Every structure is written in structure tokens, then in C-alpha cells.
């Protein structure tokens, strides 16, 4: 079951904030977040395992609302290096990790 | 440390030709292995995953198949390629413990163009 990401694309100026949302129609065991630069493999950002869990990584953080089957990725004071496509991956059971279609983020000077 | 190798990096194949992409993982035992495909401008589509030798789960019915002949080797194959098989193929692994409570580690990918 593929999660739904929104928005599809975001353009920011350096220093601005952004939120990327991920939702599923099924109960989730875990939510993963990855960033992919053009032509490269996705790179792991963070995993959220428990309802209500929040994590942070530098100025990137995420939350997981287990009851609503939703997760959000927060990018604070964006940097040029944040540009790329962000994917959420959801696992409802077992070993299959299904990804959303991605959110394209462009940070401009 | 663990590493994942995927080859070839790029491949151009005619329609109807066979395909074999190989992925190997070093530095870990009994990894869970995955094949994903990314079509141009699209998301990551899970094709197959494996939790052990000879154990393959297919997520999307199509003309592709996967095999795991050894613990740390995962192969993606096709007998006859279609134009729609073009894309960026990514192999990934994760630790065998705890299901998907640990990150996926991706290989560098194979860019396949079917002509």
C-alpha cells in the first residue's frame, strides 16, 4: 500500500521552513524518511517507530501520529544542500517498505 | 563495515533481450534484500524482497523475476525486456532483526534503458 505524500513540489528560499506530509490508509509499524539527489541513491534520514515519536537530525525533524497514520517531516532554516526529492516509506507489517511518490524540494539562494 | 555492490551502473538493452542485474552485500549475515525500480520522474516502486536464501516475495506482477542463490546475493532477471522496463533499479538491504525498524541501505543503482 503506497503512502500519499504532499506537497508534490516545494520551492524555498534559503532560510525558509518547509513541511512534508505522508499519510497511509493502513495502520503503520514504522515510517522511514529518505532524501535523494538527482541521479543518486536515496539516503536515509530517520525512522519513527512509535506513535507520537519525534526525531531530529540537525535542523530536520519528523513526527509520527500513529492514530492518524500520518507522519510529517520538518525542515527548518533550509540550506541549499537540502534540495532533492524526499520520500517517506511506510511499513504496515512484515518486511515490505512502500514509498510515496516523493516531494521535490528546491532551495534557492 | 557493511557495503552493498550493484552492477552494472548503466545498461542499454534492446527490446526482447534478457536481463540480469546483480547485487551483493558484504559485512553482514542474513540481510533482508530488496529490489526497487524508479521510472523517470516517479517514485520508488518495490518489486521484490527476500528474507532468506530462496525466499522471494513479489510485490508487482510483471515480466521480471528475482532470485537469491546465496545469503548475500540478490539477482533481478527478465527473459524478454519491454520498453516499460526502462528505469533506475535500486538494490537495498536491511538487518534481519526487527523487521523494518532499521534503515534501508541502497546500492548506487543501475540505470537501464530499453531501446
Amino acid at each position: 500500500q503506497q503512502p500519499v505524500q504532499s506537497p508534490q513540489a516545494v520551492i524555498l528560499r534559503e532560510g525558509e521552513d518547509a513541511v512534508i506530509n505522508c499519510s497511509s490508509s493502513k495502520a503503520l509499524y514504522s515510517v522511514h524518511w529518505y532524501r535523494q539527489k538527482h541521479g543518486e541513491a536515496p539516503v536515509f534520514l530517520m525512522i519513527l517507530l512509535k506513535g507520537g515519536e519525534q526525531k531530529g537530525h540537525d535542523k530536520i525533524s519528523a513526527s509520527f501520529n500513529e492514530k492518524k497514520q500520518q507522519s510529517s517531516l520538518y525542515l527548518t532554516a533550509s540550506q541549499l544542500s537540502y534540495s532533492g526529492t524526499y520520500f517517506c516509506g511506510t511499513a504496515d507489517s512484515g518486511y515490505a517498505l512502500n514509498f510515496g511518490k516523493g516531494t521535490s524540494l528546491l532551495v534557492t539562494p | 563495515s557493511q557495503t552493498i555492490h550493484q552492477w552494472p551502473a548503466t545498461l542499454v538493452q534492446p527490446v526482447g533481450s534478457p536481463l540480469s542485474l546483480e547485487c551483493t552485500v558484504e559485512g553482514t549475515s542474513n540481510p533482508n534484500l530488496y529490489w526497487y525500480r524508479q521510472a523517470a520522474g516517479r517514485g520508488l516502486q518495490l518489486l521484490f524482497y527476500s528474507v532468506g536464501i530462496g525466499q522471494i516475495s513479489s510485490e508487482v506482477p510483471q515480466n521480471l523475476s528475482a532470485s537469491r542463490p546465496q545469503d548475500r546475493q540478490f539477482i533481478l532477471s527478465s527473459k524478454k525486456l519491454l520498453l516499460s522496463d526502462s528505469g533506475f533499479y535500486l538494490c537495498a538491504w536491511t538487518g534481519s532483526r526487527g523487521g523494518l525498524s532499521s534503515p534501508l541501505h541502497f546500492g548506487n543503482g543501475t540505470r537501464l534503458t530499453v531501446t
Side-chain angles (χ1 to χ4, degrees):
Chain A
Q1 187 74 29
Q2 186 180 39
V4 177
Q5 282 185 239
S6 63
Q8 288 185 321
V10 184
I11 299 176
L12 299 174
R13 290 201 171 176
E14 217 173 349
E16 293 181 336
D17 303 339
V19 179
I20 300 172
N21 299 303
C22 175
S23 64
S24 174
S25 59
K26 300 183 78 172
L28 300 176
Y29 168 76
S30 65
V31 178
H32 296 220
W33 286 97
Y34 295 78
R35 177 172 61 209
Q36 184 180 31
K37 302 279 188 178
H38 183 69
E40 300 178 3
V43 173
F44 169 73
L45 293 176
M46 62 191 77
I47 290 177
L48 301 106
L49 295 177
K50 301 176 184 177
E53 184 178 23
Q54 297 189 29
K55 283 196 171 178
H57 175 69
D58 194 10
K59 293 180 180 177
I60 300 175
S61 61
S63 63
F64 178 21
N65 187 322
E66 188 177 3
K67 289 183 179 178
K68 291 186 177 180
Q69 297 151 197
Q70 294 176 345
S71 178
S72 295
L73 186 72
Y74 306 93
L75 300 110
T76 305
S78 59
Q79 305 168 15
L80 296 176
S81 62
Y82 286 4
S83 292
T85 301
Y86 289 78
F87 291 97
C88 74
T90 56
D92 47 41
S93 64
Y95 300 92
L97 185 67
N98 291 293
F99 287 92
K101 292 186 177 180
T103 296
S104 175
L105 178 72
L106 176 64
V107 182
T108 61
Chain B
S1 63
Q2 303 93 349
T3 55
I4 179 169
H5 302 281
Q6 192 180 338
W7 67 92
T10 58
L11 192 59
V12 180
Q13 294 283 98
V15 167
S17 64
L19 173 73
S20 180
L21 302 181
E22 189 165 341
C23 171
T24 60
V25 180
E26 295 179 357
T28 187
S29 297
N30 196 29
N32 297 324
L33 297 171
Y34 299 80
W35 279 111
Y36 286 89
R37 177 172 63 196
Q38 190 171 30
R42 303 186 70 175
L44 293 158
Q45 181 185 33
L46 178 60
L47 301 176
F48 302 95
Y49 67 92
S50 171
V51 299
I53 296 174
Q55 300 179 57
I56 307 295
S57 295
S58 174
E59 291 294 302
V60 182
Q62 53 205 329
N63 69 320
L64 299 173
S65 62
S67 62
R68 184 171 178 173
Q70 300 179 42
D71 181 43
R72 289 169 288 178
Q73 184 184 30
F74 205 21
I75 297 172
L76 183 70
S77 304
S78 174
K79 292 182 179 178
K80 289 185 178 182
L81 284 168
L82 307 173
L83 286 174
S84 58
D85 291 324
S86 293
F88 190 41
Y89 288 81
L90 290 155
C91 180
W93 74 273
T94 187
S96 59
R97 295 184 180 178
L100 284 165
S101 60
S102 52
L104 279 184
H105 304 276
F106 287 89
N108 289 330
T110 295
R111 190 161 303 281
L112 172 67
T113 303
V114 182
T115 62

